[in-house]
Amino acid sequence: MNSLVASLKADEAVNWFQKRLNNAVNYGLSSEECNMFDIFITSTLADVDIKKQIINIVLPTFFDNLISRKVNKSTIDAQATLIRLFIKYYGGTCNQFKNALDKFTTKALSECFNEDNIVFKVTKYLALYPQCGGRGQQGIHHAEAWTCQFNDYLYSANYFLNQLYTNVNFFFGTDVTDNYEGKFDVSIFKLSELTQMTPKERYEKLTSLFIFFNTAIQSMLLSMFSTVKHFDSNKVIQFALCTLSVTSEKLNATMITEDVIALDSVLWKLHSSAIKTISALIKCCGRILIPQGTLICRILIQSLNMTHFNSSNAQYGTTRSKLQQRVLTYQVLCSWLAVAGSQSSLELFSESLTSGILFDIKFDKPSLNLVVDKQTGNKKRKSGALNQKIINQRDTIVMHDYLANKTVCNEAHKTLQLFLNTLSSNLKVLQFKIFQSTIMGLLLEIIKCQRPNDYPLPYYDDLCRLNLYKSLLALIISPHPQCITHTSVALRVFTFGTTDRNEKVKEACRSSLSELEHIIRPRNDTLFFPLENDIEIPPCAQSTIPENKTHFLNEIVEDSTVPIQVKELKNVQPNIIPQSTQSNLSENKTEIINEIVEDSTIPIKGKEVKIINTKNVQPNTIPQSVQNTIPENKTNIFNKTVKDSALPIEVKTLFVNVNTENVQPNTVIETMDADNSMDSSSVDESLINKDLEDEDCTDMLNDFIDSD
């Protein structure tokens, strides 16, 4: 039952799809219907029943109808779109319909070769033609077929380029013979008729063929393919260099003939087609082309130089020569900068690029010079009226022509913004200052204008004004390391821009103000080195072993500058400290006191220290090694303190009472005030006088430990 339901659904889906295809072929195919067919095929590729019926029923019927009847241009247009769709998803099956495909291609190119839209769609499905047939292991068959077809198209483009430049003496093209040796059937173009054409018709025909094969190369580079594309990018770059090697200046320097005039009229089309091929190469290969970056930049800058002309030769508002090529060059420059970034090698041509951009973002308004002779009486008033009439006429001229050259101005600004964000530090100081003064001058002139008609040309256009503000932001965000950044002036300019009549310009200015606010007042604190805070010993550190306590005190004592007062202590029992410890301690004390006397100039008084009386110490409570270590460490601490201290020390009599009473194992000795538990009646005065020097140092050490 489930299989029957699936079969019914497949039948209904295929019938619906076939009906929609017939309607598209008969009445034309819209972009929405093309997207719908694409979604239907991709969503049913996993359905075995639907895919099987499409392969066995829909495709044979469609390809049989390609050449079975006469069709109009709209039908050919729809069929070319559907062919690309079928080859894309059913390439292996379409191999059995190659004869029908070849006949359809011949018919489309012979009947509709002047229709750019149809020719472009033919090149789109020809780019996928290598996918027809078996894929092979890891797509090896498709990869080989793609490479062979790409090289054949590149050869054909070179062949027709040589035919175009045959009469140019200074052109040295590639090694291409006069006889065509390509695999593509060029007989459909009726090349035998070229000898009977006029020079103008002949060059237009050859230009169309050259553009066709260039478009096919671009489609192959940009189309998605089932395997990795293998080709030599250097051949494509050399082909573009050969195309741009012939310029109008060089042609004008030769003998003027009909062929030279006809070639000069189509030269910008050849250059534009070669630049489009470079654009497709950049999008296909990406950063792989960085080693060839210098050649790519040379091609693009040469195209800018060829389309540059002196503004005094043409009045503003007229159609600029080679404007389309110049706009295309800026677009490809943006693509190359976006791909390669700082490794684009464009800084090597910064002077030519700077002059080209400045030429396209600032124009002089057309003006009329009125010469009035000196006259008197009524004649003078008439001349004044005439003057006013001509001024009004000048304003009318400006108002009608304010949108001229806006496209090239916008593309120049986009290139400038990306160039500044990428390579501003590589510019020369003078170049960066020129950009600053030009952009700031244009914006200040806009601010001064009271009427939109008075804006500098072509900034009456909203998009041109928007890109002008964005260029100012690029100058502020990406400054030159040796130039002053006019941030305060830019703030005022952007503030004025928030009152612009266009909402997009207002939004861009508000966004720019927000970015400048973050530059002036950063979101995060600046980098700094924090001051060292006083180290406080937590309560839990009091239960640590003496070695750790000594370590903490060692860091504190080195930076301590607080004076210490040493008071007199009493009630010391001399027989509490072990003999070994006394012997070691006395030697260290002598050295400490010697250093105290040498370095001390101001008395330092210590606090009173009392150590808990400890008696009846159990065996193994404090190991002998620890007992020996504690006094030595304390002595070293105090020794270091005295050496680093900048204050003199005055030593008074110290009395230390160390009593060991009822100390449990692993009990830690704590420090207390000496007066609370000292008994003066138990002190042996003679013994204290005898050992005063040794006990002074010990008590100072204990006092120091207790004070911290």
Side-chain angles (χ1 to χ4, degrees):
M1 185 66 183
N2 293 332
S3 61
L4 181 61
V5 172
S7 178
L8 290 174
K9 288 183 178 180
D11 293 338
E12 293 179 359
V14 171
N15 290 333
W16 171 86
F17 182 57
Q18 199 164 8
K19 289 180 181 179
R20 299 295 296 182
L21 285 177
N22 292 331
N23 291 334
V25 171
N26 294 327
Y27 303 105
L29 180 65
S30 63
S31 58
E32 292 79 8
E33 290 177 333
C34 182
N35 294 331
M36 181 182 62
F37 290 152
D38 195 344
I39 294 172
F40 175 79
I41 293 175
T42 54
S43 61
T44 58
L45 285 175
D47 195 317
V48 178
D49 294 333
I50 296 177
K51 185 177 181 180
K52 185 177 180 180
Q53 292 193 32
I54 290 176
I55 293 174
N56 296 330
I57 299 174
V58 177
L59 292 182
T61 304
F62 174 78
F63 283 104
D64 289 340
N65 293 331
L66 284 178
I67 55 177
S68 62
R69 58 182 179 178
K70 293 183 179 182
V71 294
N72 53 18
K73 293 182 180 180
S74 62
T75 303
I76 294 176
D77 185 284
Q79 288 174 337
T81 304
L82 294 174
I83 288 173
R84 177 181 178 274
L85 198 62
F86 288 139
I87 295 177
K88 181 179 180 181
Y89 294 106
Y90 302 107
T93 305
C94 292
N95 185 43
Q96 57 183 327
F97 309 112
K98 270 191 174 182
N99 293 329
L101 283 173
D102 293 339
K103 292 179 181 180
F104 175 80
T105 303
T106 302
K107 180 179 68 174
L109 292 178
S110 59
E111 296 180 2
C112 306
F113 190 69
N114 295 326
E115 299 292 332
D116 295 336
N117 188 32
I118 295 178
V119 172
F120 176 72
K121 290 185 178 180
V122 169
T123 59
K124 293 292 287 184
Y125 78 72
L126 286 177
L128 298 177
Y129 206 71
Q131 286 187 182
C132 296
R135 175 182 172 85
Q137 186 177 4
Q138 296 181 355
I140 186 172
H141 297 327
H142 288 178
E144 291 178 354
W146 191 94
T147 304
C148 292
Q149 181 172 312
F150 182 82
N151 292 333
D152 183 60
Y153 287 167
L154 188 60
Y155 166 82
S156 300
N158 276 305
Y159 173 80
F160 287 107
L161 180 66
N162 285 343
Q163 295 295 318
L164 285 164
Y165 291 165
T166 300
N167 298 324
V168 179
N169 297 327
F170 54 84
F171 174 71
F172 299 96
T174 56
D175 297 333
V176 178
T177 60
D178 294 337
N179 297 324
Y180 181 79
E181 299 176 356
K183 297 179 181 179
F184 190 88
D185 186 12
V186 294
S187 60
I188 58 177
F189 300 122
K190 301 177 181 179
L191 298 180
S192 59
E193 298 178 357
L194 291 175
T195 56
Q196 302 175 0
M197 295 180 180
T198 62
K200 183 178 180 180
E201 294 175 348
R202 183 172 68 255
Y203 277 96
E204 287 180 354
K205 180 71 173 181
L206 292 173
T207 301
S208 300
L209 294 173
F210 175 82
I211 293 175
F212 167 74
F213 285 105
N214 258 297
T215 306
I217 292 172
Q218 297 158 19
S219 299
M220 294 192 70
L221 290 173
L222 295 176
S223 63
M224 299 294 294
F225 199 66
S226 58
T227 59
V228 180
K229 303 173 184 178
H230 300 281
F231 64 96
D232 189 359
S233 60
N234 290 320
K235 292 182 179 179
V236 182
I237 295 175
Q238 292 297 327
F239 164 70
L241 285 172
C242 292
T243 306
L244 271 72
S245 62
V246 178
T247 62
S248 297
E249 291 77 8
K250 293 181 179 179
L251 290 177
N252 294 331
T254 60
M255 182 181 297
I256 304 299
T257 60
E258 292 184 1
D259 291 339
V260 172
I261 295 174
L263 177 60
D264 189 35
S265 64
V266 299
L267 196 59
W268 69 273
K269 295 181 180 180
L270 305 179
H271 294 169
S272 299
S273 182
I275 293 173
K276 288 181 181 178
T277 304
I278 293 296
S279 177
L281 182 67
I282 292 171
K283 295 176 182 178
C284 177
C285 298
R287 296 180 63 85
I288 299 176
L289 296 175
I290 288 179
Q292 291 86 16
T294 304
L295 294 176
I296 293 175
C297 292
R298 183 174 297 171
I299 293 172
L300 299 177
I301 296 301
Q302 183 177 350
S303 177
L304 279 182
N305 294 335
M306 286 189 297
T307 56
H308 184 86
F309 67 97
N310 191 359
S311 59
S312 61
N313 297 334
Q315 188 174 356
Y316 182 85
T318 58
T319 302
R320 291 178 56 177
S321 61
K322 305 179 181 179
L323 180 62
Q324 183 178 354
Q325 179 184 348
R326 193 169 184 86
V327 172
L328 182 63
T329 303
Y330 278 126
Q331 294 174 353
V332 180
L333 275 172
C334 289
S335 300
W336 178 237
L337 279 172
V339 169
S342 59
Q343 297 178 336
S344 60
S345 303
L346 196 58
E347 66 275 5
L348 302 176
F349 309 90
S350 59
E351 293 184 0
S352 300
L353 182 62
T354 300
S355 62
I357 291 175
L358 290 174
F359 177 75
D360 291 322
I361 65 176
K362 185 177 181 180
F363 300 93
D364 296 330
K365 283 187 176 181
S367 60
L368 295 176
N369 296 325
L370 178 62
V371 179
V372 181
D373 296 334
K374 292 183 180 180
Q375 297 178 355
T376 57
N378 294 332
K379 294 182 179 180
K380 184 176 182 181
R381 286 194 296 271
K382 290 181 180 179
S383 64
L386 179 61
N387 189 6
Q388 183 66 31
K389 181 179 179 180
I390 294 178
I391 290 174
N392 294 334
Q393 183 181 1
R394 181 196 62 188
D395 293 339
T396 304
I397 294 173
V398 174
M399 186 174 63
H400 283 295
D401 295 338
Y402 54 74
L403 294 180
N405 299 331
K406 64 175 184 178
T407 305
V408 69
C409 180
N410 286 324
E411 297 300 332
H413 274 293
K414 292 178 183 178
T415 306
L416 173 61
Q417 295 159 20
L418 194 55
F419 183 65
L420 289 174
N421 293 332
T422 308
L423 298 167
S424 62
S425 59
N426 294 330
L427 282 174
K428 296 180 180 179
V429 177
L430 181 59
Q431 294 173 353
F432 191 84
K433 288 182 177 180
I434 290 175
F435 280 132
Q436 278 184 326
S437 60
T438 303
I439 293 175
M440 196 68 71
L442 289 171
L443 286 169
L444 293 177
E445 190 174 349
I446 290 175
I447 293 174
K448 293 177 183 178
C449 294
Q450 298 179 356
R451 298 183 304 168
N453 292 344
D454 296 333
Y455 285 168
L457 299 175
Y459 296 102
Y460 187 86
D461 181 67
D462 298 332
L463 189 57
C464 288
R465 256 187 349 272
L466 176 63
N467 284 315
L468 182 62
Y469 281 108
K470 288 183 178 180
S471 296
L472 176 60
L473 180 63
L475 286 171
I476 303 300
I477 292 180
S478 304
H480 194 279
Q482 299 179 3
C483 296
I484 299 175
T485 305
H486 304 291
T487 308
S488 58
V489 181
L491 283 172
R492 296 185 180 182
V493 172
F494 286 128
T495 304
F496 177 82
T498 56
T499 62
D500 194 89
R501 60 190 177 92
N502 184 265
E503 290 296 330
K504 291 184 178 180
V505 177
K506 291 180 182 179
E507 184 180 355
C509 290
R510 285 192 291 266
S511 177
S512 300
L513 284 173
S514 177
E515 294 187 33
L516 292 185
E517 187 70 18
H518 294 322
I519 294 176
I520 298 174
R521 299 177 181 88
R523 300 177 182 178
N524 298 324
D525 296 335
T526 56
L527 297 176
F528 68 96
F529 295 96
L531 298 175
E532 295 182 0
N533 298 324
D534 295 336
I535 300 176
E536 297 181 359
I537 302 177
C540 60
Q542 296 179 2
S543 61
T544 57
I545 60 175
E547 287 81 355
N548 291 338
K549 187 182 291 185
T550 304
H551 170 70
F552 283 100
L553 293 174
N554 190 7
E555 296 180 354
I556 298 173
V557 170
E558 290 180 0
D559 298 331
S560 178
T561 57
V562 181
I564 302 173
Q565 294 182 354
V566 182
K567 290 188 177 182
E568 195 174 316
L569 298 179
K570 299 181 181 181
N571 301 329
V572 178
Q573 297 180 1
N575 54 355
I576 302 304
I577 302 175
Q579 187 66 28
S580 60
T581 304
Q582 292 179 358
S583 60
N584 294 332
L585 190 61
S586 60
E587 296 176 359
N588 294 331
K589 292 173 187 176
T590 306
E591 297 178 359
I592 293 171
I593 293 175
N594 291 335
E595 294 180 358
I596 292 174
V597 174
E598 292 176 356
D599 298 336
S600 298
T601 58
I602 300 176
I604 299 177
K605 297 182 180 180
K607 295 181 181 179
E608 296 180 356
V609 179
K610 177 182 177 181
I611 300 178
I612 298 176
N613 295 332
T614 58
K615 294 182 180 180
N616 302 328
V617 179
Q618 299 296 331
N620 301 328
T621 299
I622 302 177
Q624 187 67 24
S625 60
V626 176
Q627 295 177 1
N628 295 335
T629 305
I630 294 173
E632 293 176 0
N633 290 339
K634 294 178 181 178
T635 305
N636 293 334
I637 295 168
F638 190 76
N639 189 6
K640 189 171 184 180
T641 304
V642 174
K643 289 181 180 181
D644 297 339
S645 178
L647 301 177
I649 301 173
E650 180 183 47
V651 182
K652 293 186 178 182
T653 306
L654 302 177
F655 297 93
V656 179
N657 184 7
V658 182
N659 297 325
T660 58
E661 295 180 1
N662 303 325
V663 179
Q664 299 299 328
N666 301 328
T667 302
V668 180
I669 300 175
E670 299 181 356
T671 59
M672 297 177 60
D673 292 338
D675 293 339
N676 294 334
S677 63
M678 288 291 181
D679 188 4
S680 59
S681 61
S682 62
V683 179
D684 189 355
E685 298 293 336
S686 61
L687 185 59
I688 292 174
N689 292 332
K690 183 178 179 181
D691 297 333
L692 180 60
E693 182 176 292
D694 296 339
E695 293 168 354
D696 286 343
C697 185
T698 304
D699 196 22
M700 291 174 69
L701 290 172
N702 293 329
D703 179 48
F704 181 78
I705 296 172
D706 183 49
S707 64
D708 291 300

